[in-house]
Amino acid sequence: MRSKGLSIEIICAGIGGRGVLLASTLLIDSAVRKNVYAIGSDEYGMSQRGGSVISQVKIGNVKSPIVGKGRADILLGFEESEFLRNVSYLKKKGIGIVNTNKSEIDRKVTDALKERSVRLYLLDADEIARREGLFLASNMAVLGFLSSLGIEPLTYENLKEAIIYRLQGKMLEGNLKVFENGYRKGLEILK
């Protein structure tokens, strides 16, 4: 079912083994479970060797799964370098969430994003995941943070349901904790 008026274009950028494809699947699941149309496309040629992985997700009244440069509403950078490599996808007034342990990323990029009124959030998702003993679950921290923004259908409740649907056993328990901690960090930053 296509949702009239709703259109969200998302780029998930990271490297192989960091859960980019799972994150994009959860974004799509989150929308579909609420009867909102969603499609995606992945690029992961060298992902087995730590190469770039990009997932494009479109939600709502959309046709093609391909997100054009300057069209993404949201850029999720699961690695800082991949965020910087794909920042040209972000549109004016978009949202960028970067997994980094720095308090500031490249000054030129930050200034350019400010000029385009992009909301940029820096999140140490690796640390959030590491605290739960799940270094590879930083993707869940990023999704938790995204859910704190309250963007329908990518809300905390919807994404949590999608995670519960997709993951099982110990994987589920740990990933939910990381997701929850990412959500709380988002609420803390957004105060």
Side-chain angles (χ1 to χ4, degrees):
M1 176 177 147
R2 295 188 194 274
S3 302
K4 276 191 168 178
L6 176 65
S7 174
I8 303 172
E9 299 187 17
I10 305 167
I11 297 288
C12 299
I15 60 172
R18 298 306 301 270
V20 176
L21 301 181
L22 175 59
S24 65
T25 299
L26 292 171
L27 293 171
I28 291 170
D29 280 357
S30 178
V32 171
R33 295 176 69 76
K34 295 301 172 190
N35 294 320
V36 177
Y37 183 76
I39 53 177
S41 174
D42 304 316
E43 296 174 28
Y44 53 93
M46 293 299 287
S47 63
Q48 296 289 329
R49 296 177 184 219
S52 295
V53 178
I54 299 171
S55 285
Q56 303 185 12
V57 175
K58 285 186 168 181
I59 296 170
N61 191 20
V62 296
K63 294 177 183 165
S64 162
I66 305 301
V67 177
K69 301 273 183 180
R71 303 275 309 167
D73 299 284
I74 301 168
L75 172 57
L76 302 177
F78 296 90
E79 295 282 333
E80 182 183 336
S81 60
E82 295 303 314
F83 177 85
L84 296 173
R85 187 188 321 267
N86 293 287
V87 76
S88 61
Y89 281 101
L90 259 176
K91 73 180 196 183
K92 189 175 180 181
K93 297 185 179 178
I95 297 169
I97 300 173
V98 187
N99 175 19
T100 181
N101 62 0
K102 298 177 185 170
S103 59
E104 185 175 337
I105 60 171
D106 185 296
R107 173 68 80 177
K108 288 179 185 174
V109 173
T110 302
D111 290 346
L113 293 177
K114 274 183 187 171
E115 284 179 21
R116 294 169 48 207
S117 301
V118 168
R119 289 188 288 165
L120 179 63
Y121 301 103
L122 306 182
L123 174 72
D124 193 349
D126 289 340
E127 177 58 25
I128 292 170
R130 192 176 296 118
R131 273 188 266 141
E132 297 299 330
L134 296 169
F135 178 76
L136 295 177
S138 58
N139 58 343
M140 294 297 148
V142 172
L143 291 180
F145 189 95
L146 172 65
S147 76
S148 73
L149 300 176
I151 301 168
E152 287 286 347
L154 308 173
T155 63
Y156 170 82
E157 293 79 15
N158 294 349
L159 277 164
K160 184 176 177 179
E161 282 180 24
I163 292 167
I164 291 169
Y165 174 75
R166 284 280 169 188
L167 302 180
Q168 299 161 354
K170 288 183 179 178
M171 288 289 292
L172 173 60
E173 186 180 320
N175 278 276
L176 276 179
K177 284 183 184 174
V178 175
F179 173 77
E180 178 77 29
N181 291 337
Y183 171 73
R184 287 190 189 139
K185 186 67 175 179
L187 294 179
E188 180 185 315
I189 289 175
L190 295 170
K191 278 186 187 173

